[in-house]
Amino acid sequence: MLIFVSGCKKDEVPPKTSTYNLMVKDVLGVSGEVTFTETSSTVTTIDIALTGTPLGTHPAELRMNSAAEGGAVVIALNPVNDSGISSTTTTLKTYSQLMDFDGFIQVHKSSSEPNIILAQGDIGGNVITDIYKTYILDTIGTFGVSGTAKFAKRVNGNTLLTVTLTGTIPGDFYPATINLGSIESVGGGPVVLTINDIDGTFGKGYTNIRELNSGINISYDNWLVYDGYLNIYQVSVGLNNIICHGNIGSN
């Protein structure tokens, strides 16, 4: 008598994937996402899908650091086509390495216009979490500039600082610093961190924070208890040029 044994396949484990948002930068209406798929233990597939892209092919890269900082190209990706699609397989970094990577994706308008960025977004350790703290920035005198400073925690513990102002003048740029002490400090406290200028046209400024000017590392959690305040200046950094300020951290 012959006995036939029917074997059952074990359920296949789906590949690991992670998707990140790509946001508009210089060309309005462009947005999308990038998906990382663990094709094998040594191969990762990086798929970009954008909407609103103009005609032509658009260079794309994985770069070091955060989008707020900019950084060198780590992996040159296949260009995004007319349909907003790009797919690249790489063995330069494993899926696990990319999930912790300090980097961002950037897509340009064209090879002849590399400074025009269609879309970009942080990945891996640079992804912004839902944890943040916002502080009020009050106007000084009659300048009429006020706003907020939002400290947002990244997965890797670093901080994205977003300063949002109203009352700024289009075309002007406003220097900003974080100082030791509080806004009540007589004579002002020393500058501990110079942050990126605020663009008066949009009333926005973005700074990725890893360390103070002195080189000392500082995390998001450190900022929550920091004895400091933030100054916005007109034209240049100086006590007589402060037009807006606010306490942060333990203050």
Side-chain angles (χ1 to χ4, degrees):
M1 181 175 65
L2 296 176
I3 300 175
F4 296 93
V5 179
S6 176
C8 295
K9 279 188 176 181
K10 290 184 178 179
D11 292 339
E12 292 185 2
V13 178
K16 296 177 183 177
T17 64
S18 292
T19 299
Y20 305 100
N21 291 327
L22 299 177
M23 307 301 291
V24 62
K25 178 63 169 61
D26 297 327
V27 179
L28 294 179
V30 179
S31 63
E33 59 187 25
V34 57
T35 300
F36 292 79
T37 303
E38 186 179 43
T39 309
S40 74
S41 60
T42 58
V43 178
T44 305
T45 301
I46 305 173
D47 292 308
I48 296 174
L50 297 180
T51 59
T53 52
L55 294 176
T57 57
H58 315 292
E61 308 102 4
L62 171 63
R63 291 176 173 265
M64 292 180 62
N65 302 325
S66 68
E69 298 166 290
V73 174
V74 177
I75 302 175
L77 307 176
N78 290 327
V80 175
N81 63 22
D82 282 340
S83 300
I85 301 299
S86 165
S87 185
T88 304
T89 57
T90 182
T91 57
L92 295 178
K93 288 190 177 295
T94 66
Y95 177 84
S96 295
Q97 289 173 328
L98 288 166
M99 292 307 94
D100 293 327
F101 189 62
D102 176 10
F104 67 102
I105 295 289
Q106 192 169 73
V107 181
H108 307 266
K109 184 177 180 182
S110 67
S111 56
S112 61
E113 298 173 286
N115 293 328
I116 299 178
I117 300 168
L118 294 183
Q120 61 184 13
D122 293 314
I123 68 152
N126 282 329
V127 171
I128 302 296
T129 69
D130 294 329
I131 302 171
Y132 65 90
K133 179 73 174 179
T134 301
Y135 302 95
I136 300 299
L137 302 176
D138 294 315
T139 188
I140 293 178
T142 59
F143 287 103
V145 175
S146 61
T148 60
K150 178 181 177 181
F151 289 70
K153 186 175 185 178
R154 296 187 186 274
V155 169
N156 57 20
N158 291 333
T159 307
L160 175 64
L161 170 58
T162 303
V163 176
T164 304
L165 300 178
T166 59
T168 54
I169 299 173
D172 284 358
F173 287 86
Y174 299 81
T177 62
I178 294 177
N179 296 48
L180 185 65
S182 72
I183 59 175
E184 290 81 18
S185 300
V186 178
V191 173
V192 295
L193 181 66
T194 303
I195 63 178
N196 293 333
D197 289 355
I198 315 306
D199 186 336
T201 301
F202 304 102
K204 290 279 190 179
Y206 303 93
T207 304
N208 187 65
I209 305 175
R210 306 168 185 269
E211 59 185 28
L212 301 177
N213 287 354
S214 63
I216 296 175
N217 291 335
I218 186 165
S219 69
Y220 171 84
D221 293 337
N222 295 146
W223 283 117
L224 297 182
V225 295
Y226 195 77
D227 175 21
Y229 64 101
L230 194 149
N231 279 338
I232 308 294
Y233 305 87
Q234 186 178 46
V235 183
S236 61
V237 175
L239 276 176
N240 296 326
N241 294 333
I242 302 171
I243 61 174
C244 179
H245 63 186
N247 286 323
I248 66 167
S250 62
N251 293 321

